[in-house]
Each structure stands twice: as structure tokens, then as C-alpha cells.
Amino acid sequence: MPPGGPHDNSVNDQYRIPPPKIIKEVPGYLRKVISAFSGRLFYIVKLVWEVSPGILFLMAFMALWSGVMPVVGSLIGKELLNKLAQAYNGQITEFKVITALLVLQFAYLLVNMIFNRLDNTLIRIAGELVSNHIKLKIMGKAKEVDLASFDSPDFYAKMENANREAGTRPIQVLRSTFSIVSAIISIISFLIVIIAVGLVPVLMVVIVSIPATIINFVYRKKNHQYVFRSSKDRRQMNYYSDVIVNKDMVKEVRMLGLTDTFIGRYTEVFKKYFGGLKKLILQEFFWNLGASVLSTVVNCVLFVYIARGVFSGDYQIGDYSLYTGALNSIASGISTLITTTASIYEGTLFINNMIAF
């Protein structure tokens, strides 16, 4: 029989926080959620610190760099467009000023590209080191557990989930955390830039991001709960697929004529598992589609507003590029903030698998 048991769905019950039943329970519920989230995040930081403190410092520096550079690029682009417009109108007769700005722009692009490459290289190296560190911790814990525990479905579920997720999740969560820092720095920087247009456009961009925030957090939690509840189905699928290709069992399977039986069982379990997952994915897609349409309409209105300012002579050509770019960057930054925070929340929920083990 494939591994599994009736208690698989209760592996992490001690980590679940019951939702509030009445409005006055909401503040306490939020405190518990934030406290649990912070505790799991600190646990991940501690894991990476155990591997190498230098990884944390380098990731923090890359986050600061990534937050500031988009604003620098926008300001260079604005100046370049303004100088080109002035040259077109005959206000500038020498090309040296434009040449200097072009050199500055390409230097910015080159340096940015180099740092992006360095960041990706750092993440790959850190991912391997952290994954190895966690595997060693899991093996060390498994060595201490009595042999009878390996016959328990609950213990097997904890170990399977810890091995499946904990090796990759920590560095992903940490990278996402630092990318949030970058997004916040960029958003604040562009907010300072866009103050020249007014606070109303900024408030509109922020307000239309609220539905997307709610959708992302709700479906990250639903996804985690579904994947956790389906751990028995995944183990069954692994068992059915592995037993057919296992060199020590393939002869017995062939002799008993069980190949088609195992394939059929695998297909049945997959249909059940995929059906629920597909439903969640499609629901999230349609909700996010509505939120995206709303955000696009608001951006279109704001672009028209800024374009009228250029037409009436309130702004220069380069200002249009800067302000619309700032609005795009604020909207993109808020979107990144939402999706990344939701993915961190989901990732820390999966880290419960390792904590439970």
C-alpha cells in the first residue's frame, strides 16, 4: 500500500490560527498572524545566518542598490529628453551636453546589468549552501528519532513535507524579503518625484492596489492549505510512479501484471489532485484579471492628465517621461510589494513543515 494515513491533514494543526468569528476578534487575530509570520521569517533569517552572515549583508546591499537605481535611470532619461527637445527647438547648438548624457545613460545600463548578474550569481550560490545546510539539519534530526516513528503516517508526512519544501523555500523567502525592501525604496523615491504632479494621482494608484492585495493573500493561504491537505495524494502518486520504474520491483510488477493497475491508480489520484488545484488557479486568475483592468483604467486616466499638462505647457517633454514612468514604477512597485509579500507569507507557511519536523 502507498504511504499515507487518516491523520495526514492534522500534521500542522498546532500552527494554524482559527479565523475570527466576530469583528472585535479581528485585531487579536491580526496580531497572532503577524506574530506567527514574524517568528517564521526570523527562523529563516537565522538559518541563512548559520550558513554565512556575509550572504545576508550582500543581499541587503543588493536590495538597497536595486531600490535606488530605477529612480536614477528615470532622472537621466528625463534630462536626456529635455535636452533633445531643446536642441530640436534651437536652444542648444552643441552636441557635447547630449553626448555626456548618453554616456551617462549607457554607463548606468552597464553598471545595472553587472549588478543584476552579481545578484543572480549570489542567489544561486546562497541557494545551494542553504539547501545543503537544511538537508544536514533534517538528516541530523532523523538520526535522533527512534525507528518506530518511521512507521507513523504523521511523522512520515512531516518528514516528506520538510524535505520537499524546506530545501528551497528559505532562500526564496529571504530574497523576496529583500526585494520588498527594494520596492519600498523605489516607491518612496518615485513618490517624492511625483509630488510635483500632486497627491491625488498617488492616492489613486494606492487605492486601486488594495483589491489585488486582498486577492493575493487570500489565495496564497488557500494554496498552502490545499497543498498541505493533498500531501497524501502526492505520496500516492510518487509511489505509483516509482514502483513501475524501480529496478528492484519492476520484475515483480511485470510478473503480476500490475503495470496498468498502477498507471490507472496514478491517473485517478492525479485527476483528483489537479482538479482542486486548477480550480484555485482559475479563481485567482479571474479575480486578478478584474483588479488588473481596474488598475489599467486608472493609469490611463492619469496619463491623460499628465499629457494635458504637457500640452498646456505646465510640464516639459522629459517631465512627461519622468512622471508617467514614476506612476508606472509606483504601480509596479506596489504590485511587486503585494505579490512578493503574499509569496513570503506562503513560503513561511511552508516552513512550518520543517519546524514541525
Side-chain angles (χ1 to χ4, degrees):
M1 292 294 293
H7 305 296
D8 281 354
N9 292 341
S10 61
V11 175
N12 274 351
D13 281 344
Q14 65 268 37
Y15 295 102
R16 292 178 184 166
I17 301 171
K21 295 180 180 179
I22 54 179
I23 296 297
K24 68 179 183 179
E25 294 180 357
V26 171
Y29 171 75
L30 290 176
R31 281 197 299 271
K32 290 179 181 179
V33 170
I34 293 172
S35 176
F37 171 77
S38 302
R40 293 188 295 260
L41 188 59
F42 178 77
Y43 180 80
I44 293 170
V45 173
K46 180 175 174 289
L47 283 174
V48 179
W49 181 271
E50 289 173 359
V51 177
S52 173
I55 292 175
L56 285 174
F57 288 120
L58 284 173
M59 292 181 74
F61 173 76
M62 290 297 185
L64 293 172
W65 177 273
S66 299
V68 172
M69 291 309 288
V71 184
V72 173
S74 295
L75 292 172
I76 294 172
K78 170 209 167 186
E79 286 300 318
L80 181 58
L81 281 176
N82 283 339
K83 296 302 179 186
L84 286 171
Q86 290 172 13
Y88 180 79
N89 293 325
Q91 296 173 284
I92 296 178
T93 57
E94 296 185 358
F95 195 67
K96 290 189 295 184
V97 177
I98 295 175
T99 302
L101 287 171
L102 285 170
V103 170
L104 185 60
Q105 186 178 52
F106 284 110
Y108 158 80
L109 293 173
L110 177 62
V111 172
N112 214 29
M113 181 269 293
I114 292 172
F115 271 82
N116 285 336
R117 296 285 185 182
L118 287 173
D119 186 40
N120 290 331
T121 302
L122 170 65
I123 293 301
R124 290 178 62 186
I125 294 173
E128 293 295 330
L129 291 174
V130 173
S131 178
N132 175 67
H133 177 67
I134 291 174
K135 292 291 183 183
L136 289 173
K137 287 177 73 72
I138 291 174
M139 288 189 287
K141 185 63 179 179
K143 182 182 70 174
E144 300 171 1
V145 178
D146 59 281
L147 293 176
S149 298
F150 285 86
D151 294 325
S152 166
D154 284 355
F155 172 82
Y156 194 89
K158 292 177 185 178
M159 186 172 66
E160 187 262 346
N161 282 319
N163 269 309
R164 180 176 56 86
E165 294 287 348
T168 56
R169 288 282 180 177
I171 202 67
Q172 291 175 357
V173 169
L174 201 58
R175 186 183 193 184
S176 297
T177 302
F178 282 115
S179 72
I180 282 182
V181 175
S182 300
I184 291 173
I185 293 172
S186 291
I187 290 171
I188 293 173
S189 302
F190 280 117
L191 283 174
I192 294 171
V193 169
I194 206 66
I195 287 296
V197 177
L199 288 176
V200 174
V202 176
L203 290 175
M204 290 176 67
V205 172
V206 172
I207 289 171
V208 296
S209 69
I210 293 174
T213 304
I214 297 172
I215 292 166
N216 274 278
F217 274 92
V218 167
Y219 278 94
R220 292 291 69 73
K221 187 167 186 177
K222 284 186 176 183
N223 181 68
H224 166 262
Q225 291 174 341
Y226 182 81
V227 170
F228 178 78
R229 289 196 304 268
S230 304
S231 59
K232 178 182 175 182
D233 293 336
R234 288 195 309 276
R235 287 201 304 279
Q236 286 181 335
M237 287 189 290
N238 289 336
Y239 173 80
Y240 294 137
S241 61
D242 291 346
V243 75
I244 294 176
V245 298
N246 189 294
K247 65 182 181 64
D248 298 321
M249 302 180 68
V250 66
K251 293 181 181 178
E252 287 81 357
V253 171
R254 293 283 184 87
M255 288 172 59
L256 296 172
L258 295 174
T259 303
D260 291 336
T261 300
F262 284 128
I263 293 175
R265 293 284 181 86
Y266 175 89
T267 304
E268 289 175 9
V269 177
F270 175 79
K271 284 181 179 179
K272 175 187 172 185
Y273 173 76
F274 179 70
L277 191 62
K278 179 182 176 182
K279 182 180 178 181
L280 277 178
I281 293 171
L282 289 177
Q283 285 177 353
E284 185 178 5
F285 165 75
F286 286 116
W287 280 107
N288 276 322
L289 183 63
S292 297
V293 170
L294 176 63
S295 178
T296 301
V297 170
V298 170
N299 275 342
C300 181
V301 172
L302 294 176
F303 275 40
V304 171
Y305 174 76
I306 295 172
R308 286 184 63 86
V310 175
F311 181 78
S312 62
D314 295 333
Y315 312 125
Q316 299 183 61
I317 296 294
D319 293 334
Y320 175 83
S321 173
L322 178 63
Y323 297 149
T324 55
L327 285 172
N328 274 331
S329 296
I330 292 170
S332 175
I334 292 174
S335 176
T336 300
L337 206 61
I338 294 166
T339 55
T340 307
T341 305
S343 70
I344 292 172
Y345 176 67
E346 181 185 27
T348 57
L349 288 174
F350 279 107
I351 290 301
N352 278 340
N353 298 325
M354 183 176 179
I355 298 173
F357 178 70

